[in-house]
Amino acid sequence: MGLTSGWFAALLIAAAVAAVAGAVLLWPRTRGPRVLQVVLRIGMIVMCQVTAILVVMVTVNNEYGFYASWDDLLGHANSGGATRQAGRSGPPAPEVPDYGVKFASYSQGFERATVHGWESGTKGDVIVWLPPQYAKPEFAHTRFPVIEVLHGIPGTPHSFLRGMRLGQIMQDQISAGRAEPAILVLPTITPDRVNTGCADVAGKSKVETWLTHDVVKTISHNFRTLPAPRGWAVMGISTGGYCAARLALEHPETFAAGAALAPDDPSKGVRSPLWLARTTHPDTRLLVESSLQDRESPPKFADWITGAAQAPTEVSTLELSSGGHNWNTWGRMFPDAFTWVSARLEAPRAVPLAPSAAP
């Protein structure tokens, strides 16, 4: 039974109710020496407290997506590192990296796979949503733009499926004619369980390489995608929003646009978004979206980046009048962000590219 399964949550709720009911029924019926009665009653209280705490913990986890599975909770998921180390048995790594990956049906129309990072030396979960047009016969030779969507910390790519119906939000924008059909790619931004601000940090993790090379090459190999940079964008929430701003400014050769939704402080970290905007002036488009009531990501963050950027960099801003640093607010930000990003990417089109395994 999965950690985020509805059945598991229901089982814990039933256990909590049973613990309270059992305590009410058994409390006056305890027998034996006084000490034994005290011990039994303390045990009842502890059982009630433990089951109630577990219900709260699972509810909070399901809401915010801190842990997506038992392996994730126990530290067995998304373990990074090279596939072969000295002294270990097993087949040698291929001379030519193999980017072929089998994506399996997951949830809410998404597909999931564990992706090996040949250049970063790490691996992690990547979740993909394909627009309905992708499978239609009339689009069989069409390639689509791609939007990498980055989660916050704590969190995982699975958080988007718990916190909001991200695919449905994108589909609504497409159906309304406000966005072109695009592939959504949700990679982990902590493949080695460390927050580097999506930078390559020696001795910790090469997250930047993971997101800009390994994920990009894997998706390009397995799906019909438009070429970078005009066919690719990056966006994210909270820490993922910080990462989106940073990667869009640092890698205009990969991403034509970026959208930072309620980003972390852009002045902090290795090669921060604010430093990049002030010193590099890339030819890229960046959206910073914030809420006037969000104390963790106030509109001044957008003002800082806007004030630092110079041509040819273009920075746009959007503000909500209400909403804190939470899923409800981010869910309200995504429709406009998808529309903004879509307008800055190439529309789906037939384009000859090098042969790949893309279906």
Side-chain angles (χ1 to χ4, degrees):
M1 190 178 296
L3 177 62
T4 59
S5 165
W7 286 108
F8 181 61
L11 179 63
L12 286 178
I13 292 172
V17 172
V20 173
V24 171
L25 292 173
L26 297 176
W27 190 277
R29 300 183 183 182
T30 55
R31 298 292 183 268
R34 181 69 175 174
V35 173
L36 178 59
Q37 293 183 41
V38 171
V39 170
L40 290 174
R41 287 172 176 170
I42 290 175
M44 295 178 198
I45 295 172
V46 170
M47 183 61 67
C48 291
Q49 293 292 326
V50 169
T51 53
I53 290 171
L54 288 175
V55 168
V56 172
M57 291 175 65
V58 167
T59 301
V60 172
N61 183 66
N62 287 348
E63 176 68 21
Y64 292 97
F66 297 139
Y67 299 99
S69 65
W70 292 109
D71 283 341
D72 194 15
L73 176 64
L74 298 174
H76 300 154
N78 289 345
S79 56
T83 55
R84 179 177 174 84
Q85 297 179 3
R88 290 190 177 183
S89 60
E95 294 183 4
V96 179
D98 180 10
Y99 290 99
V101 176
K102 178 64 175 178
F103 281 82
S105 178
Y106 180 47
S107 177
Q108 299 180 19
F110 284 81
E111 301 176 11
R112 178 181 65 175
T114 297
V115 172
H116 177 81
W118 295 102
E119 295 188 41
S120 64
T122 189
K123 65 179 179 180
D125 278 354
V126 177
I127 304 176
V128 174
W129 181 85
L130 301 175
Q133 291 81 357
Y134 191 92
K136 293 182 177 180
E138 60 267 35
F139 289 88
H141 301 289
T142 298
R143 294 184 179 266
F144 293 80
V146 181
I147 305 173
E148 281 194 26
V149 186
L150 310 181
H151 61 85
I153 296 176
T156 70
H158 315 265
S159 303
F160 285 108
L161 281 65
R162 286 285 174 183
M164 66 179 74
R165 299 186 67 86
L166 190 65
Q168 187 60 54
I169 294 174
M170 184 61 179
Q171 178 56 49
D172 290 345
Q173 296 303 98
I174 295 171
S175 299
R178 292 188 288 267
E180 296 286 352
I183 298 170
L184 303 183
V185 177
L186 284 56
T188 176
I189 66 171
T190 52
D192 293 307
R193 294 188 163 277
V194 59
N195 178 14
T196 68
C198 296
D200 286 351
V201 178
K204 290 187 176 181
S205 186
K206 298 178 68 175
V207 180
E208 184 173 342
T209 299
W210 158 256
L211 294 172
T212 60
H213 292 275
D214 294 326
V215 172
V216 170
K217 289 183 178 180
T218 298
I219 298 303
S220 298
H221 185 85
N222 290 278
F223 299 97
R224 300 193 309 273
T225 67
L226 287 170
R230 288 294 302 151
W232 285 72
V234 59
M235 60 193 300
I237 58 169
S238 193
T239 303
Y242 172 99
C243 290
R246 187 183 169 281
L247 295 177
L249 292 167
E250 183 83 282
H251 293 279
E253 77 286 354
T254 302
F255 303 112
L261 281 56
D264 289 351
D265 188 339
S267 67
K268 297 181 179 180
V270 178
R271 296 179 68 85
S272 71
L274 186 59
W275 183 87
L276 289 167
R278 183 180 295 119
T279 60
T280 61
H281 316 309
D283 186 6
T284 193
R285 311 294 175 263
L286 180 64
L287 170 70
V288 185
E289 194 165 0
S290 55
S291 168
L292 292 173
Q293 293 183 331
D294 187 348
R295 295 182 179 182
E296 295 185 47
S297 183
K300 69 179 181 180
F301 288 175
D303 296 338
W304 292 352
I305 296 176
T306 302
Q310 297 182 28
T313 305
E314 295 181 7
V315 181
S316 302
T317 61
L318 287 173
E319 289 183 3
L320 298 182
S321 60
S322 62
H325 204 70
N326 54 55
W327 284 107
N328 180 59
T329 304
W330 302 330
R332 292 160 52 209
M333 289 179 171
F334 263 103
D336 288 339
F338 276 141
T339 298
W340 186 93
V341 167
S342 179
R344 286 151 183 83
L345 292 177
E346 284 190 318
R349 63 184 177 89
V351 55
L353 292 177
S356 76

